[in-house]
Amino acid sequence: DVKVTQSSRYLVKRTGEKVFLECVQDMDHENMFWYRQDPGLGLRLIYFSYDVKMKEKGDIPEGYSVSREKKERFSLILESASTNQTSMYLCASSPPEGQLQPQHFGDGTRLSIL
Amino acid sequence: AQSVTQLDSQVPVFEEAPVELRCNYSSSVSVYLFWYVQYPNQGLQLLLKYLSGSTLVESINGFEAEFNKSQTSFHLRKPSVHISDTAEYFCAVSLYGGSQGNLIFGKGTKLSVKP
């Protein structure tokens, strides 16, 4: 069974801090994704990566960056956290034929910026 | 641009009643269609998907969805719900030939099953 693991379930940080959210998958998937989930807005794609060291902007990349140094790990970075980045963050992965295979999600990181 | 509309943000129902969660999409190209479920404090899990073939697809826990191309809909139904079906449900589309299977999600429908 595919396992997508997000390093923290809950995280509290302060405004201006640099924040790292880590995601690891164990199925050798090429594609990895970061979403944020907010009530009434559904899931919005922040960044995705289809290979090591490759990244593409999603719908809301502002204020975020990502890193994919190894195939199994995809990190989301908040360069200077702000209160409007308080949200639930979800990581997902999928094999290369992504249209035909579902994305597998981690349990999420609930991030609070004070 | 492609979009997904879930017409109801919340659906309260009583246990053993039927339920329909509505999903409409807008796209100028053919799409693949998915329903995901999110139980409290968990990530999303795939419930069912339509790729091709029969327009009626079923999940292992009694949900079904029917792809209607003319109405651009993919409504989710269950004839008799259980308390354990309480969750948020997301409809999503992926475009034919789209890059790496990016999904476009609806805003979600919270299903609340009451005893």
Side-chain angles (χ1 to χ4, degrees), chain A residues 25-97:
Chain A
Q25 50 95 2
D26 66 357
M27 282 303 292
D28 205 35
H29 283 169
E30 277 74 7
N31 302 332
M32 296 189 75
F33 307 83
W34 274 108
Y35 297 89
R36 66 176 281 175
Q37 181 181 10
D38 299 288
L41 297 180
L43 276 74
R44 293 179 291 168
L45 182 65
I46 305 171
Y47 269 96
F48 66 97
S49 167
Y50 52 88
D51 202 352
V52 176
K53 297 191 186 294
M54 306 300 287
K55 60 184 179 183
E56 295 281 345
K57 292 181 180 179
D59 300 319
I60 51 165
E62 296 78 19
Y64 303 94
S65 62
V66 289
S67 172
R68 187 136 182 233
E69 297 296 319
K70 293 184 178 181
K71 192 175 185 180
E72 67 270 19
R73 184 180 297 271
F74 191 35
S75 303
L76 180 69
I77 304 157
L78 285 65
E79 297 289 344
S80 178
S82 63
T83 55
N84 63 12
Q85 292 177 309
T86 291
S87 187
M88 169 73 91
Y89 290 87
L90 292 168
C91 175
S93 73
S94 71
E97 60 278 15

Side-chain angles (χ1 to χ4, degrees), chain B residues 31-50:
Chain B
V31 298
Y32 300 108
L33 295 153
F34 304 83
W35 274 101
Y36 282 82
V37 58
Q38 185 179 33
Y39 297 104
N41 298 315
Q42 295 185 24
L44 277 68
Q45 303 171 33
L46 180 71
L47 189 59
L48 45 76
K49 62 184 178 183
Y50 171 77

Side-chain angles (χ1 to χ4, degrees), chain B residues 13-60:
Chain B
V13 293
F14 287 105
E15 194 173 18
E16 298 183 5
V19 70
E20 178 180 79
L21 307 184
R22 295 178 292 170
C23 173
N24 288 88
Y25 68 92
S26 171
S27 175
S28 57
V29 300
S30 295
V31 298
Y32 300 108
L33 295 153
F34 304 83
W35 274 101
Y36 282 82
V37 58
Q38 185 179 33
Y39 297 104
N41 298 315
Q42 295 185 24
L44 277 68
Q45 303 171 33
L46 180 71
L47 189 59
L48 45 76
K49 62 184 178 183
Y50 171 77
L51 303 181
S52 64
S54 173
T55 57
L56 185 66
V57 290
E58 298 178 353
S59 72
I60 57 173

